Structure formats: structure tokens, C-alpha cells
């Protein structure tokens, strides 16, 4: 028995299916490449965003420095008085950590020192250890004063923590006003109002 010859329609069906499959596969591969292109590898420097705590004492990325060290973001370091601000803050935190009241009064205004006599000050910092100070921004205010946005970590016995936040480790972020007094840059009393921004370590 002879097999009947395939019709003209059947002869064209196979090539058409092959072409359609080829176009579909090729289009799928192309689409995959197009939609994958915006993605960057996890270690690509173009998408890495350093955390606020990454700048070192020189402002470059690196590990945290010593407890009394004061680091700065690029923005803060670009301010003309950045070095003076850093020195004042370094001495301020060192005084707290070493419990040196006289050193502390050297870098705060007379009004601020008067509001915290030595006995009260020592009682307030007796278990305090401040570290990881980071200056985010320095802004000029009227009368040659400055507003310094700084963050730092404070560790203390729970009973010595603020009444509104009884924690042994607190991360603070606040604005420290600085003024010129006796021709020296000093830290004034922190603005009144609600407690500064804070969170548990």
C-alpha cells in the first residue's frame, strides 16, 4: 500500500512551528537580559551606601576609633571650623569618660557649668562611658555661633540612665550649640524642649 503524499498545508506546518519556537526562545532570552541589566551585584561600589557610623576619625570609611575619638562625615569635615569643633567635642567626651570636672568646664559655657555644680555633675556621669561620637553636620547660627548635629553611644548603669529611658546602652543624636566665649569655642546648654532623639543600642 502506498502512503499518500502530505498535503501542501502539512508540508509548511513544520517550518512555521520551528520558526515560531525560535523567535519565542530568542525573545525570551533577550527579555531576560534586558530586565536583568539594571540589577547590580551586592558588592558593586556604585550602589553601596555607607552607614552614618562608617566614617573614621579622619572622615574616611573605617572601623570605630578610640572611645574619646570624634569622627566626622564629609559634610561636617568640609566646614571651616570642623577642626575646632572636633577638638572641643573630643575634650568634652574625654572629660566625661575620665570624670574630670575641671576639663569639662573648660569646654562648656559659664552658664552651663553654673547649672551643673561639680557634685551634681560627678553624680550624673559616675558610671557613664561615651563612645562612637560622629558629627553629621555643622551649621552657622547668628552671632558666630554654631549648631552641631552629633550622634554618640552612652553606656551606664541602668539606675543612672535618664528617667524617661532606663537602658544600659543608649544611642543619642542631638544638636549641640556652640558659641564663642572668652575667645574660645565652647558648648552651650542644649536647647530645651522634648528629649533629644534616642534609641536602645
Amino acid at each position: 500500500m502506498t502512503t499518500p503524499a502530505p498535503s501542501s498545508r502539512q508540508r509548511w506546518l513544520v517550518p512555521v512551528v520551528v520558526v515560531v519556537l525560535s523567535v519565542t526562545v530568542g525573545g525570551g532570552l533577550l527579555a531576560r537580559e534586558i530586565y536583568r541589566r539594571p540589577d547590580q551585584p551586592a558588592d558593586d561600589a556604585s550602589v553601596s551606601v555607607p552607614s552614618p557610623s562608617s566614617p573614621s576619625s579622619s572622615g574616611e570609611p573605617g572601623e570605630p576609633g578610640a572611645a574619646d575619638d570624634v569622627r566626622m562625615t564629609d559634610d561636617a569635615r568640609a566646614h571651616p571650623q570642623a577642626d575646632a569643633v572636633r577638638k572641643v567635642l573630643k575634650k568634652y567626651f574625654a572629660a566625661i569618660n575620665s570624670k574630670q570636672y575641671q576639663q569639662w568646664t573648660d569646654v562648656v559655657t559659664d552658664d552651663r557649668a553654673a547649672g551643673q555644680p561639680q557634685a551634681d555633675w560627678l553624680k550624673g556621669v559616675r558610671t557613664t562611658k561615651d563612645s562612637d561620637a560622629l558629627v553629621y553636620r555643622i551649621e552657622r547660627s547668628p552671632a558666630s555661633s554654631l549648631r552641631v548635629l552629633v550622634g554618640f553611644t552612652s553606656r551606664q548603669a541602668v539606675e543612672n540612665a535618664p528617667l524617661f529611658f532606663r537602658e544600659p546602652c543608649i544611642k543619642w543624636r542631638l544638636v549641640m550649640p556652640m558659641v564663642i566665649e572668652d575667645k574660645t569655642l565652647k558648648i552651650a546648654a542644649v536647647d530645651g524642649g522634648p528629649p533629644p532623639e534616642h534609641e536602645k543600642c
Side-chain angles (χ1 to χ4, degrees):
M1 178 183 291
T2 58
T3 304
S7 67
S8 174
R9 183 178 181 181
Q10 289 175 324
R11 284 198 304 268
W12 285 104
L13 183 60
V14 174
V16 168
V17 170
V18 170
V19 170
V20 169
L21 287 175
S22 299
V23 170
T24 302
V25 172
L29 292 173
L30 179 62
R32 185 182 71 175
E33 290 302 312
I34 290 173
Y35 286 108
R36 190 174 62 180
R37 191 168 298 142
D39 295 342
Q40 298 291 337
D43 59 352
D44 192 327
S46 65
V47 296
S48 64
V49 179
S51 65
S53 60
S54 64
S56 67
S57 59
S58 62
E60 299 300 329
E63 349 27 78
D68 301 335
D69 201 10
V70 175
R71 298 169 295 146
M72 289 191 164
T73 63
D74 290 340
D75 181 77
R77 198 174 67 236
H79 194 278
Q81 290 185 269
D83 190 52
V85 167
R86 187 203 306 273
K87 288 177 181 177
V88 170
L89 289 174
K90 188 169 183 175
K91 194 171 182 180
Y92 173 85
F93 287 116
I96 291 173
N97 291 336
S98 60
K99 315 300 182 272
Q100 296 295 319
Y101 180 74
Q102 186 56 55
Q103 180 178 328
W104 180 78
T105 61
D106 288 343
V107 292
V108 301
T109 60
D110 291 342
D111 284 346
R112 182 163 182 178
Q116 287 187 282
Q118 185 170 1
D120 293 344
W121 185 85
L122 288 171
K123 182 180 179 181
V125 302
R126 63 182 179 273
T127 63
T128 299
K129 188 72 172 178
D130 291 338
S131 62
D132 304 325
L134 172 63
V135 177
Y136 291 92
R137 188 172 180 79
I138 302 172
E139 294 182 345
R140 186 174 296 280
S141 292
S144 300
S145 61
L146 300 173
R147 291 174 60 83
V148 181
L149 177 59
V150 58
F152 63 94
T153 300
S154 180
R155 292 176 174 82
Q156 62 279 312
V158 174
E159 59 269 22
N160 297 135
L163 293 175
F164 59 85
F165 202 63
R166 290 294 200 183
E167 293 292 341
C169 183
I170 304 173
K171 288 187 176 183
W172 297 97
R173 183 169 165 147
L174 68 158
V175 173
M176 287 188 173
M178 294 191 180
V179 300
I180 301 295
E181 186 176 88
D182 298 328
K183 299 181 181 179
T184 305
L185 189 63
K186 295 189 176 185
I187 302 172
V190 176
D191 298 341
E197 183 181 334
H198 58 280
E199 63 179 338
K200 180 180 178 180
C201 297

